[in-house]
Amino acid sequence: MIILGLNINHADTSACIIVNGKIIAAIEEERFVRKKHYAGFPLNSIEFCLSIAKLTINDVNFITLNYSPSSNLKQKVFYIIKNIISISTLKKILSFKKKLFYTSDLQRYLNKNNFNGKIINVEHHMSHIASSYYNSSFENAAGLTIDGFGDFCSTGTFLCSNDKIQSLKKVYFPHSLGILYQAITQFLGFKNYGDEYKVMGLASYGEPKYLKEFEDLVQHNSKFFFLLNLDYFSHHSNSEFSYSFSNGIPKFSNLYSKKITELLGEERNPYDKIEKRHFDIASSLQICFENIVFSILNNLYQETKIENLCLAGGCALNSKFNGLIKERTPFKNVFIQPNAGDAGGAMGSALHFLRKNEINKASIHQRDNNKCYLGNSYTNEFIEDKLIKKNQLIKSYSFKKLDDAELYNEVANRISKNQVIGWFKGRCEWGPRALGNRSILADARNPEIKDILNKKIKLRESFRPFAPAVLEEFANIYFDINYSSPFMLNVVNGKKIAKESVPAVVHVDNTCRVQTVSKSDNYHFYNLISEFNKLTGVPILLNTSFNENEPIVFNPDHAFDCFRRTSMDCLVLENWVITR
Ligand SMILES: [Fe+2]
């Protein structure tokens, strides 16, 4: 059975192909078109997945989509009646989704290629939870999904048992913690789609002095989970809320109403200085979000009595919250899919359909929950033919090819001498984090390296932290972590030794967004960090995504361009080493 899963109804469009129960490839369209959170039809992603699987679209039996317009109909009708609004008004309110409906592009593509398989719609939150549960190693798990909205729903709890997923409770439009987080992110002057992670970084500098005000913004209890005070929001209002697309990138008008300034004071404009008040609002938002979700999780545990938890949805990328789950709830084992946001729904919808219909049950338990390297890769020969030969003419660069052992040694040495390395090796990562295949690497021991990276390469805000990649066997020596965190989705406390020996990856509140690296997770990256450990006695590298305010580099040309544009000292493309 060949299934092509697509995310075409939301930002971060993507594709994933599953052949006879095995995930062969998955990638986001933004990598190809070079636009962050691209929402256009993922033609390149589809063709990439098919080419890796050595198939054509006519070999595909099923295309699964991570939305289902017929789902949650009762709630949609109830909302219309309760709010005495016309269907056309509701359509307008929800037409952000309608605008994003690429069904016609898909149909055109399939007609052109005489596709004769079947299209299957899978409800949005079911796709989210399936992306987590069916990639986890758990037989039984409680499930939680949280996002802005998908199929009229923003939050879902689930019982995942014996390869079946049962929906327990849902929170419907217009109540959403994703919208709350996005609205306050905008209020704090970060207007781009997907900027919430910046506010999470900002939160560490503040104190939660606005918790009382947030109690007015959102109420919560165990019965209805939470309710937004809609007076402070505009997303439900036809007259106030609007959206647009700029070359396929979603842009939202402010999701908060003017009334919010009575509660939180003046909004911050994007170029205004960030003041103490802004840090405190960010901190209060983060604590408010955590308190509500921990309350949901504690109730979910009481309901299911299962110690395994699967998380998905855009809010599951809140690594600060993720790092506290074991401390604040009875859950002992937590799995979060590396691509927890909407792009991951392409895989989730395909896995959901597979598990419902796969006749060969033998494949069901062959889960490979560390598999996140599902994108494109290039051979040394390709790099030599297409890039090195062309650029060897440029006298200001030197090029050499090393074997693996020489490469680890050369790069570890350079890092230990404060050089910044662009590291491009193996298949690219599935999801927003660079996990050692499309990474910029630096020496976490150097407290100055953060400023060097921020100013010379990443061109990003100085308040955002950098993350450590640590050999898994040393992780609990440096950090408060006793489990693996291969996808860099957990923020935990750094121990005294971390602050002393790797200050560049310890945030202002003493926290660290840790990636643990084992040999089975990532062979080359593990060996490189091991070599650095041999040289310096420190089994940790600073690991940040290989980009410069753009999607993570996709091919060797992008990597070389980024190297040339910035002050990076050295570029590694597979076994090729390029220096200035
Ligand atoms: Fe979603």
Side-chain angles (χ1 to χ4, degrees):
M1 187 194 290
I2 296 160
I3 309 170
L4 178 69
L6 300 179
N7 170 41
I8 58 166
N9 188 22
H10 312 88
D12 298 304
T13 50
S14 64
C16 166
I17 194 155
I18 300 181
V19 178
N20 298 329
K22 196 167 161 39
I23 299 168
I24 302 295
I27 199 155
E28 301 93 331
E29 190 69 8
E30 68 161 34
R31 305 288 175 104
F32 296 88
V33 299
R34 315 302 302 147
K35 290 172 187 171
K36 270 189 173 181
H37 302 295
Y38 185 68
F41 185 66
L43 179 63
N44 297 292
S45 309
I46 292 170
E47 295 195 335
F48 165 77
C49 285
L50 291 170
S51 74
I52 293 287
K54 297 186 171 60
L55 297 169
T56 70
I57 191 71
N58 288 314
D59 297 315
V60 172
N61 306 110
F62 299 95
I63 290 177
T64 61
L65 306 176
N66 65 334
Y67 66 88
S68 172
S70 61
S71 62
N72 303 320
L73 262 183
K74 208 168 78 187
Q75 285 71 28
K76 289 173 190 166
V77 171
F78 183 69
Y79 185 82
I80 294 166
I81 295 167
K82 194 176 161 210
N83 292 281
I84 328 174
I85 60 172
S86 68
I87 291 170
S88 66
T89 304
L90 182 73
K91 265 188 180 170
K92 201 166 176 190
I93 291 170
L94 295 180
S95 59
F96 170 64
K97 291 291 152 64
K98 199 168 159 51
K99 276 239 171 173
L100 273 172
F101 262 70
Y102 282 92
T103 316
S104 52
D105 296 86
L106 176 65
Q107 211 55 62
R108 263 195 299 279
Y109 171 72
L110 298 180
N111 290 345
K112 195 174 126 202
N113 291 287
N114 301 316
F115 174 74
N116 50 23
K118 234 179 137 181
I119 296 177
I120 308 290
N121 291 83
V122 179
E123 198 250 344
H124 185 79
H125 280 258
M126 186 56 84
S127 301
H128 271 317
I129 194 62
S131 77
S132 182
Y133 174 53
Y134 292 133
N135 271 309
S136 78
S137 55
F138 306 143
E139 286 293 309
N140 301 310
L144 175 67
T145 58
I146 313 178
D147 65 6
F149 284 109
D151 284 330
F152 211 67
C153 172
S154 75
T155 305
T157 56
F158 300 86
L159 175 64
C160 310
S161 179
N162 300 315
D163 282 306
K164 290 195 173 64
I165 300 174
Q166 184 196 333
S167 171
L168 299 175
K169 280 186 192 164
K170 288 177 181 176
V171 177
Y172 296 100
F173 185 91
H175 303 287
S176 162
L177 291 179
I179 292 289
L180 169 72
Y181 217 107
Q182 193 181 349
I184 301 299
T185 296
Q186 292 175 325
F187 177 84
L188 290 172
F190 301 96
K191 304 289 185 183
N192 290 337
Y193 183 88
D195 271 351
E196 289 87 338
Y197 68 104
K198 295 184 181 176
V199 171
M200 193 183 72
L202 215 61
S204 300
Y205 291 84
E207 293 166 80
K209 289 185 174 170
Y210 290 83
L211 280 181
K212 258 233 105 20
E213 285 77 2
F214 273 83
E215 276 171 27
D216 203 13
L217 277 176
V218 53
Q219 302 171 38
H220 65 110
N221 77 16
S222 56
K223 197 166 154 242
F224 53 71
F225 287 178
F226 59 87
L227 291 174
L228 295 182
N229 182 340
L230 296 172
D231 292 346
Y232 294 113
F233 295 88
S234 71
H235 65 288
H236 58 100
S237 152
N238 188 25
S239 58
E240 287 183 59
F241 175 63
S242 69
Y243 56 82
S244 59
F245 292 93
S246 166
N247 297 322
I249 303 168
K251 292 220 184 287
F252 284 72
S253 67
N254 289 332
L255 293 162
Y256 53 88
S257 73
K258 280 282 167 213
K259 190 174 162 61
I260 207 166
T261 56
E262 293 168 20
L263 200 63
L264 300 177
E266 274 310 300
E267 60 208 282
R268 176 182 168 267
N269 289 314
Y271 298 103
D272 288 352
K273 193 172 171 284
I274 302 174
E275 294 167 5
K276 169 98 176 59
R277 185 173 72 87
H278 303 125
F279 292 125
D280 291 344
I281 291 171
S283 166
S284 308
L285 168 68
Q286 179 66 26
I287 299 285
C288 167
F289 173 83
E290 287 170 7
N291 288 344
I292 295 172
V293 186
F294 286 131
S295 152
I296 294 172
L297 282 180
N298 283 314
N299 285 313
L300 179 61
Y301 177 79
Q302 290 310 322
E303 195 175 348
T304 60
K305 299 284 181 198
I306 299 174
E307 290 177 341
N308 304 323
L309 174 68
C310 287
L311 279 185
C315 296
L317 294 170
N318 189 313
S319 46
K320 215 165 156 51
F321 156 79
N322 296 342
L324 293 168
I325 293 174
K326 290 186 192 182
E327 207 176 289
R328 301 267 306 263
T329 75
F331 290 108
K332 291 209 166 102
N333 311 296
V334 182
F335 181 76
I336 307 164
Q337 211 250 119
N339 211 342
D342 287 337
M347 183 184 282
S349 66
L351 285 172
H352 183 263
F353 182 76
L354 173 76
R355 295 308 178 208
K356 264 184 108 174
N357 296 282
E358 179 66 80
I359 295 148
N360 175 14
K361 291 275 177 195
S363 71
I364 280 177
H365 298 295
Q366 291 168 2
R367 290 172 184 165
D368 184 357
N369 63 5
N370 279 337
K371 195 155 189 184
C372 66
Y373 303 100
L374 292 166
N376 56 333
S377 64
Y378 300 86
T379 61
N380 281 312
E381 292 68 33
F382 178 93
I383 292 163
E384 183 171 7
D385 287 345
K386 302 282 181 219
L387 191 133
I388 306 290
K389 282 180 181 166
K390 189 172 70 190
N391 289 294
Q392 266 168 343
L393 301 171
I394 308 171
K395 295 278 182 269
S396 45
Y397 300 108
S398 77
F399 302 84
K400 63 180 172 184
K401 192 174 150 200
L402 303 176
D403 68 27
D404 283 345
E406 290 168 335
L407 182 71
Y408 307 142
N409 185 267
E410 164 105 12
V411 174
N413 250 303
R414 285 178 177 276
I415 295 174
S416 74
K417 290 174 183 148
N418 282 320
Q419 293 200 6
V420 175
I421 313 292
W423 176 260
F424 184 108
K425 202 159 173 61
R427 296 183 73 177
C428 87
E429 296 85 348
W430 167 239
R433 305 273 179 257
L435 299 168
N437 284 12
R438 299 290 182 275
S439 292
I440 291 175
L441 305 174
D443 192 344
R445 297 175 304 162
N446 178 358
E448 311 293 319
I449 205 84
K450 194 178 151 183
D451 288 339
I452 294 170
L453 281 165
N454 273 335
K455 285 182 189 145
K456 294 192 172 175
I457 295 171
K458 301 285 286 187
L459 306 177
R460 68 184 206 173
E461 299 87 348
S462 59
F463 61 81
R464 286 166 52 197
F466 284 105
V470 55
L471 296 182
E472 188 165 275
E473 58 271 34
F474 293 95
N476 69 358
I477 295 174
Y478 288 84
F479 309 104
D480 277 338
I481 191 167
N482 55 7
Y483 51 90
S484 23
S485 172
F487 308 137
M488 209 191 262
L489 285 171
N490 297 286
V491 168
V492 297
N493 284 325
K495 293 185 177 174
K496 196 165 166 259
I497 184 178
K499 207 160 187 176
E500 286 166 359
S501 58
V502 284
V505 289
V506 181
H507 201 24
V508 62
D509 59 352
N510 204 34
T511 58
C512 312
R513 184 157 50 86
V514 174
Q515 177 194 2
T516 60
V517 183
S518 71
K519 214 170 210 169
S520 60
D521 291 337
N522 191 328
Y523 178 81
H524 294 297
F525 197 35
Y526 179 89
N527 287 342
L528 174 66
I529 306 173
S530 295
E531 192 66 25
F532 185 79
N533 186 31
K534 267 193 234 159
L535 277 174
T536 64
V538 174
I540 295 168
L541 290 178
L542 182 156
N543 173 15
T544 183
S545 52
F546 196 156
N547 59 352
E548 182 205 14
N549 267 331
E550 58 181 341
I552 294 176
V553 294
F554 176 71
N555 62 31
D557 277 329
H558 296 145
F560 189 61
D561 282 347
C562 184
F563 168 70
R564 281 205 296 207
R565 282 196 310 268
T566 62
S567 301
M568 202 180 285
D569 298 289
C570 168
L571 170 64
V572 174
L573 294 172
E574 289 300 326
N575 288 64
W576 283 96
V577 177
I578 306 170
T579 49
R580 293 172 196 282

